[in-house]
Amino acid sequence: MFLLSVTVVLAVRIRRLRAEQERAVTQAHEELARDMHDLVGHWLWLASIKSELAYRQAAGDARLRGDLGEALQAVRHAAHAVRNVSKVHRHLSLQGESMRAQALLASFGAECTVRVDAGGLPRDISAALGTVVREGVTNMLRHSAVKTCVIELAGHGGLLRLTVANDGASRRAPHSSAGDGLGNLHDRVARLGGTMHAAASEDGWFNLTAEVPWKFSE
């Protein structure tokens, strides 16, 4: 009986040690994924957009266009790999993506005004709205000659409304794209009970608006 008791105790301790080891390894992987995304992902994203713009401007030079096309494809593959490694562990936030968008647009010579106070938002809402900001900025750089952008969060009538607006847009709204396009944003916001609208106005501004239910504290 004594030997049996000792064996049971040792088995329990071994399981606990293994569990602690697995938690430590998982935490290390999560930290590595976050660091990789923060240090590499942003610059790959920027390189991808700038490479795409250069590719479009090189229409008259077939050789240069071919080289830029290969470089753009390589950057896209690298960015996709970074997202795959980090997407399980990294949590997007509305505040973080708004600040990132402001810095990115500034690097293109565009002015971005951010009026966002996302403190106290649940993680799922913050992540969904952060994704809207990221996709909206990516689309405006690809489909418009943006010089001015406004990112604003406001509350009204039991709803949170996020607006991502920019000038330099054509009257035709960009198509939804596969993967991380506008179509997926509609689905993601809808899962929160919200709605999303995208439209170009007569004055050359494009407005991407997402609304989600939110109970305001009195």
Side-chain angles (χ1 to χ4, degrees):
M1 291 296 295
F2 174 75
L3 291 176
L4 179 59
S5 299
V6 171
T7 302
V8 171
V9 170
L10 289 175
V12 171
R13 288 183 178 178
I14 290 173
R15 282 197 295 270
R16 287 178 179 174
L17 288 173
R18 286 177 177 173
E20 291 175 0
Q21 183 181 29
E22 290 175 358
R23 283 195 296 270
V25 171
T26 298
Q27 183 178 359
H29 287 169
E30 291 176 354
E31 291 175 354
L32 176 61
R34 285 194 296 267
D35 290 343
M36 180 187 298
H37 192 286
D38 291 340
L39 294 174
V40 181
H42 171 72
W43 297 110
L44 285 174
W45 183 37
L46 177 60
S48 175
I49 293 174
K50 288 196 171 184
S51 296
E52 183 172 336
L53 294 176
Y55 176 79
R56 293 180 180 181
Q57 294 169 0
D61 190 329
R63 182 175 179 179
L64 177 59
R65 189 174 173 87
D67 290 340
L68 284 171
E70 292 179 2
L72 177 59
Q73 192 67 18
V75 170
R76 284 175 173 171
H77 283 312
H80 182 69
V82 170
R83 284 196 299 270
N84 282 343
V85 170
S86 60
K87 67 182 179 180
V88 175
H89 305 299
R90 182 176 182 269
H91 297 291
L92 293 174
S93 72
L94 174 57
Q95 198 74 45
E97 292 306 314
S98 297
M99 296 299 101
R100 192 187 304 272
Q102 188 176 49
L104 176 62
L105 288 167
S107 73
F108 279 90
E111 180 181 356
C112 181
T113 300
V114 176
R115 294 191 285 266
V116 171
D117 182 5
L121 287 183
R123 177 177 290 180
D124 56 346
I125 293 179
S126 181
L129 296 182
T131 305
V132 172
V133 170
R134 167 170 289 193
E135 185 65 25
V137 172
T138 299
N139 279 337
M140 72 176 66
L141 289 173
R142 287 177 174 170
H143 301 288
S144 68
V146 55
K147 294 298 181 184
T148 305
C149 169
V150 177
I151 301 173
E152 183 175 30
L153 182 70
H156 67 101
L159 294 172
L160 273 179
R161 173 184 290 172
L162 172 68
T163 303
V164 182
N166 67 280
D167 64 354
S170 65
R171 294 178 61 183
R172 181 183 178 186
H175 290 293
S176 297
S177 58
D180 297 326
L182 293 179
N184 281 354
L185 291 184
H186 280 281
D187 294 339
R188 185 162 187 170
V189 172
R191 286 197 293 269
L192 296 173
T195 59
M196 198 183 79
H197 305 281
S201 60
E202 295 287 343
D203 58 2
W205 277 74
F206 184 83
N207 294 279
L208 182 64
T209 304
E211 292 184 330
V212 295
W214 177 250
K215 184 177 180 181
F216 297 92
S217 56
E218 298 180 357

